[in-house]
Amino acid sequence: MQVDGSAFCGGTLIDRKWVLTAFHCVGSGKRDIKDLRIRIGSRGTSEGGTLAKVKEMVKHPDASFTDGLFSGPDLVLLSLDRPVRHKLVRLNTVSPRTGTAVRALVWGNTCRDATCMPEHLQEITLPVSKKKDNLLVLKDRAFRGVGPGDSGGPLVVKKKGKWRLAGVTSTNGMREDHALSNFVDVAGYRDWIDKVVTHTR
């Protein structure tokens, strides 16, 4: 996702007209959806693929912003101004088990102590450490994981040779001995996602 050509969050094309991303990326009201642009089908932030506008924003009904802090499921669906012809990512049907290898596809900062924003899509594969509430948690003692600018991007898992969307990048943090990456587990929200997407076709 971009504003004035500057990328700030990721997302996943789950339908010809719908992108799933993190609520906190757009739900604070600081960004007008009329200014949002979504580059789809490109591994670069500045060229290629389709640059679409956002027509509508549908947040999860339990998601909210209060005093600058979000709560509830960190999910929002963005309706595009027109259908796009790019590969869709299907939703995962069940939560990945602890130890399952999952892959985060992200655009954010690649440096720990500086700002290093990549021009091309980055990826990292790590095992699921645990599931906590509605989150898939990844811990890594080599301090690898998601960071600033990665929010909203997909966490995918391979099922029978095909990639499925397992999670949406939400929050991250550093502990004394590991990095912590949290993703909303989309399997638990399939009914809501399907209802929104199907209702508006």
Side-chain angles (χ1 to χ4, degrees):
M1 291 191 292
Q2 305 175 1
V3 171
D4 295 330
S6 178
F8 63 92
C9 274
T12 306
L13 185 71
I14 62 169
D15 181 84
R16 297 296 178 199
K17 289 188 66 175
W18 288 94
V19 168
L20 180 64
T21 186
F23 170 67
H24 79 263
C25 287
V26 294
S28 67
K30 294 180 180 179
R31 295 184 174 98
D32 192 324
I33 65 168
K34 294 179 181 179
D35 298 327
L36 294 181
R37 300 294 183 270
I38 302 181
R39 188 173 297 281
I40 303 164
S42 175
R43 288 181 171 269
T45 59
S46 58
E47 60 183 6
T50 300
L51 194 61
K53 296 180 181 180
V54 176
K55 178 181 178 181
E56 181 184 7
M57 179 177 73
V58 182
K59 72 178 184 68
H60 188 279
D62 295 330
S64 64
F65 255 94
T66 304
D67 297 329
L69 299 175
F70 77 90
S71 61
D74 194 11
L75 294 175
V76 67
L77 284 159
L78 301 178
S79 174
L80 305 178
D81 64 337
R82 64 190 187 281
V84 294
R85 295 289 180 182
H86 293 285
K87 188 174 181 179
L88 308 180
V89 182
R90 303 299 179 188
L91 301 180
N92 202 28
T93 56
V94 295
S95 303
R97 296 180 179 179
T98 300
T100 300
V102 289
R103 181 174 296 176
L105 304 171
V106 293
W107 299 97
N109 192 16
T110 57
C111 296
R112 185 175 178 182
D113 300 315
T115 300
C116 308
M117 305 304 288
E119 283 289 325
H120 300 284
L121 187 65
Q122 307 291 302
E123 62 181 57
I124 184 171
T125 301
L126 293 170
V128 175
S129 300
K130 65 178 180 178
K131 181 179 177 182
K132 182 180 180 181
D133 300 326
N134 69 329
L135 297 176
L136 299 173
V137 181
L138 278 58
K139 296 180 180 180
D140 188 71
R141 294 188 180 278
F143 294 96
R144 298 170 298 173
V146 299
D150 291 332
S151 295
L155 182 75
V156 294
V157 62
K158 210 164 196 178
K159 291 287 188 69
K160 297 181 179 180
K162 297 182 179 181
W163 292 103
R164 296 286 185 262
L165 182 65
V168 172
T169 307
S170 181
T171 60
N172 65 87
M174 289 289 180
R175 302 296 185 264
E176 184 176 339
D177 61 349
H178 66 269
L180 189 66
S181 303
N182 298 313
F183 304 81
V184 180
D185 184 1
V186 300
Y189 298 98
R190 281 179 57 90
D191 289 346
W192 169 72
I193 295 169
D194 290 343
K195 182 179 179 180
V196 172
V197 172
T198 303
H199 178 71
T200 55
R201 280 177 179 164

